[in-house]
Amino acid sequence: MKRNKEISPYVIILTSFLVMIFLGGIVLSLPLSTVDGKGTGFIDGIFTATSAVCVTGLTINDVSSSYNLFGKTVILMLIQLGALGFITFSSMFVLLVTKKISYYTKKVVQEDLNTETLFDIQNYIRKVMITVFGIEFVGAVFLFFEFIQKFEFKRAVYYSLFHSISAFCNAGFSLFPDSLMSFKGSAVINISVPLLIFFGGIGFATLMNVYRYFRGKDKRLTTNSKVSINISIFLIIAGTILIFFTEYSNKLTMGNYTIYEKIGASFFQSVSTRTAGFNTISLSEMKSSTTFLFIILMFIGASPGSTGGGIKTTTIGLIILGIRNIIDNREYLEINGRRINWHNFNKAVAVITISLTYITVILFVMTSIEKNMNFENLLFEIVSAFGTVGLTRGITPLLSDVSKIFIILTMLIGRVGPLTMTLVLISKKLKKGKYKYPEENLLIG
């Protein structure tokens, strides 16, 4: 037991993801998972499993036509496990059997769910599971009313459940070859799917806090909840407006849509682009300005403690707050009548710096490997993988095996988190020196 306690929770979490990816990759590459009964290459199987576990949505093989019911169900299970974390799921089953979990397991689950709760973690896990399955069920019910108009009952039920889980988990996997483009005029799809994405991407802590606040159990919304919600709503509104005007007359994307379909598609893409990866317009034909907007939204991503990736809304919010406070020459970071430790600002800077550095290095390497591919498309693909978004401009199946491995690594880092991955690689604990050196300033700017 002592040896286990010496293992960092970050290492445990990363290991659980690697095990799920490896086992899922093997199953998805077998003949019993594919429609043609021939299976897929091992790299392709690992790629799809990584995309499912890391709730990304990038695929080499079209899910709708390549995988049979068994293969699709395996992907669905990997999505659900990856979104909540294998450690959290296993802890839930331990709770059902023994009614208690060890302190060390609580610590690992705390990191897995990215929550401050520790001693009451059992109750928190139960609430998370009830919330997740409850929202996914309600989402499936709404989607059922759309799919029952096109499919027979059993297929409509399965499609509703699959897309509800995929949307809430911000995975972006679709059982349609064109994602959701054929439903661009559906009010059910244009409202239900974005709402599922929003709830899944806002973070479990925020969902719990909002629920308890309206039930009168919490006196106030936490600063984390307010920042997550406010920035998410701002990005959705700003994204909708910008997408609407930049692509309004582009006949290759939504120029031929009705005004209602243009508004719906703009709103849908604004929500989906940050984390989920569904699309109702052609991404390969977007203008460069829209493509750049998508890259920014994908890089920011969802909120902490959610099923989405990216650097997180609170990170960008903290950076903006820090810059404002520096300009105002304030001693402390202050927001909503609360003081934020500067250590949080330093972590936010570290996250952005590590993320940009990683993306730059991978982009440099892949442009050297994929010499015939468009730079813009490669950047879009890498940021999409890093933000666990899953949007693509059609180049995923065309990548070499080496580039596929880099995208697999990028999806994993994006899901686990760049800072978490860095902490995994750091074996030494922070040590305070016995003395302090004289202070000196560096010239900045």
Side-chain angles (χ1 to χ4, degrees), residues 59 93 108 182 211 266 268 284 343:
T59 56
F93 288 111
V108 176
S182 58
Y211 173 76
S266 299
F268 186 97
S284 59
H343 177 66

Side-chain angles (χ1 to χ4, degrees), residues 431-442:
K431 295 181 178 180
K432 293 184 178 181
K434 296 181 180 179
Y435 52 87
K436 293 182 180 180
Y437 290 106
E439 186 177 294
E440 189 171 340
N441 291 324
L442 285 175

Side-chain angles (χ1 to χ4, degrees), residues 205-346:
T206 299
L207 284 176
M208 295 292 105
N209 181 218
V210 171
Y211 173 76
R212 290 178 60 85
Y213 175 75
F214 283 106
R215 287 288 302 273
K217 295 182 178 180
D218 284 349
K219 295 181 179 179
R220 58 182 289 273
L221 292 177
T222 65
T223 300
N224 180 79
S225 297
K226 289 181 180 179
V227 173
S228 297
I229 293 172
N230 289 338
I231 292 183
S232 295
I233 291 175
F234 170 78
L235 291 173
I236 290 172
I237 294 174
T240 300
I241 294 172
L242 291 173
I243 294 170
F244 180 82
F245 284 108
T246 54
E247 294 298 318
Y248 184 88
S249 58
N250 185 356
K251 294 183 178 181
L252 298 176
T253 55
M254 63 180 190
N256 295 322
Y257 289 10
T258 64
I259 187 66
Y260 165 76
E261 290 175 342
K262 288 178 180 179
I263 295 173
S266 299
F267 170 72
F268 186 97
Q269 287 306 150
S270 181
V271 177
S272 179
T273 299
R274 283 195 299 116
T275 54
F278 292 109
N279 62 284
T280 54
I281 64 173
S282 175
L283 304 180
S284 59
E285 305 296 342
M286 293 189 305
K287 294 180 180 178
S288 294
S289 56
T290 314
T291 302
F292 182 62
L293 172 64
F294 273 42
I295 290 173
I296 293 174
L297 292 175
M298 291 190 297
F299 182 71
I300 295 174
S303 298
S306 70
T307 58
I311 63 170
K312 303 297 186 292
T313 54
T314 50
T315 300
I316 197 70
L318 197 53
I319 292 294
I320 295 172
L321 177 65
I323 293 173
R324 191 190 72 181
N325 277 258
I326 291 172
I327 293 174
D328 292 341
N329 199 28
R330 295 181 181 178
E331 184 178 1
Y332 303 108
L333 289 170
E334 298 173 350
I335 183 173
N336 295 325
R338 292 292 186 273
R339 189 176 67 188
I340 309 297
N341 195 304
W342 277 102
H343 177 66
N344 290 329
F345 178 80
N346 295 337

